[in-house]
Amino acid sequence: MRTLHIALLTLALTAACGKGDSPHPVETTGPAPTTNAAPATPATAAPKPETTAEAKPVQHVEIQIATVANTMTFDKTKLTVPAGAEVHLTLKNNATMSTLGHNWVLVKPGSQESVAANGLKLGEPAGYIDVRDKNGLAHTGLAKPGETTDVTFTAPTEPGDYPYICTFPGHYMMMKGVLTVTP
Ligand code: CU
């Protein structure tokens, strides 16, 4: 008799909750109440558009960056993106001198020199990037003068300042900027 009672109660609760996790009511536990007991939440969880901080939708960020004429500089030396955002970055190489190839490489703080050195070892066929280098966080391909290249990547989840460089031979020391990741 008591078991039946519990079973009925469980069923009633499940129905009240609308979409319980499990379609089968479990007698012993019953439907788990919302774990993050938010105050003043109606029992019938109305399917509202998710605007709360709990389930942040991934933000998409579009970034355009270019190189300045026949110099070893980016036209933007400061970029900002929210942590974990999906970033689509386009690099335009505005050089006209045939010797000026460029790329855009996001690295872990302090690893500019080693990332550039590792890329240099593999040379042009690899776009001056060693993809095995864990200090490299994201990179575009190599853009020849007049060319555009791009990359889509997920921004670091840890807020902070991340350097970006061009790993074309001899460029990284001058050709750089900082991507700030905000919380
Ligand atoms: Cu460059």
Side-chain angles (χ1 to χ4, degrees), residues 67 71-74 100-103 165-168 171-172 175:
T67 68
T71 66
M72 289 180 272
T73 44
F74 290 113
L100 283 174
H102 297 297
N103 61 13
I165 56 173
C166 167
T167 60
F168 192 86
H171 290 199
Y172 85 90
M175 201 162 175

Side-chain angles (χ1 to χ4, degrees), residues 105-108 111 115 130-139:
V105 185
L106 185 68
V107 304
K108 283 187 187 162
S111 68
V115 169
D130 185 345
V131 294
R132 299 163 301 180
D133 191 335
K134 295 280 186 286
N135 288 320
L137 302 176
H139 67 272

Side-chain angles (χ1 to χ4, degrees), residues 19-86:
K19 40 179 183 176
D21 285 17
S22 161
H24 310 290
V26 182
E27 284 187 28
T28 47
T29 56
T34 43
T35 45
N36 44 8
T41 302
T44 49
K48 273 188 206 160
E50 292 182 3
T51 50
T52 57
E54 293 171 35
K56 252 189 206 166
V58 175
Q59 289 176 269
H60 296 265
V61 179
E62 199 68 38
I63 294 175
Q64 313 272 351
I65 190 166
T67 68
V68 180
N70 290 315
T71 66
M72 289 180 272
T73 44
F74 290 113
D75 66 348
K76 288 173 189 148
T77 55
K78 284 187 167 80
L79 299 172
T80 304
V81 298
E86 187 184 83

Side-chain angles (χ1 to χ4, degrees), residues 141-169:
L142 193 65
K144 291 184 178 143
E147 285 183 352
T148 295
T149 182
D150 68 333
V151 62
T152 299
F153 65 96
T154 302
T157 50
E158 200 163 311
D161 288 341
Y162 295 80
Y164 58 85
I165 56 173
C166 167
T167 60
F168 192 86

